[in-house]
Amino acid sequence: MKNAALALSMLVLCVASTYADDGNKNGIQWYISNFPPVTIVAGPDKGQGWADKRIAIPSKHLKDFRHDTIDASGLRMFEDLKVKPNVCSANLLKTPEREAYIEFSEPMSWIVPNGMLT
């Protein structure tokens, strides 16, 4: 039950629709970029970032949805979040500017700001 609630809250994090732009029903595009340890898109640790694992939870439990993972630059991700109804990301910090066009769920865990990782 806890995993199902977590999966549903992840879905609220993103701006998703039951219809993808190409007309395929129930498609969700998960946008990631290579930003270890958040997301890891290549090498022996591919898919082992903490946001990669957040994406796996709703993908596992929302089987009626087609889940596509897209490696994209931050600029492309933010532009697509503004105009596409089925784009999601599991690794965005909530800011007032982003809240204007992205719907965020309640945090599932505490996220350390990037500056604290340097």
Side-chain angles (χ1 to χ4, degrees):
M1 186 68 169
K2 182 178 178 183
N3 285 340
L6 185 60
L8 290 176
S9 69
M10 279 296 298
L11 199 55
V12 173
L13 168 71
C14 58
V15 180
S17 172
T18 56
Y19 293 94
D21 288 346
D22 62 0
N24 290 327
K25 190 174 181 180
N26 298 331
I28 298 173
Q29 295 178 339
W30 293 95
Y31 275 50
I32 62 169
S33 56
N34 196 34
F35 191 60
V38 180
T39 51
I40 304 170
V41 299
D45 295 324
K46 179 179 180 177
Q48 297 302 308
W50 57 264
D52 295 321
K53 293 179 181 185
R54 284 183 172 181
I55 293 169
I57 295 169
S59 297
K60 177 182 174 185
H61 293 283
L62 299 172
K63 295 179 183 185
D64 291 339
F65 289 80
R66 187 190 75 249
H67 300 269
D68 299 318
T69 303
I70 299 171
D71 180 12
S73 69
L75 180 61
R76 178 180 172 203
M77 177 175 54
F78 288 118
E79 288 301 316
D80 285 356
L81 280 164
K82 291 177 183 176
V83 298
K84 290 185 176 181
N86 62 326
V87 174
C88 301
S89 180
N91 63 334
L92 296 178
L93 293 175
K94 188 176 183 179
T95 66
E97 295 82 16
R98 292 176 184 168
E99 284 184 291
Y101 61 94
I102 300 172
E103 180 140 357
F104 288 86
S105 69
E106 291 299 315
M108 294 187 313
S109 64
W110 187 69
I111 300 172
V112 179
N114 297 339
M116 293 187 71
L117 297 174
T118 57

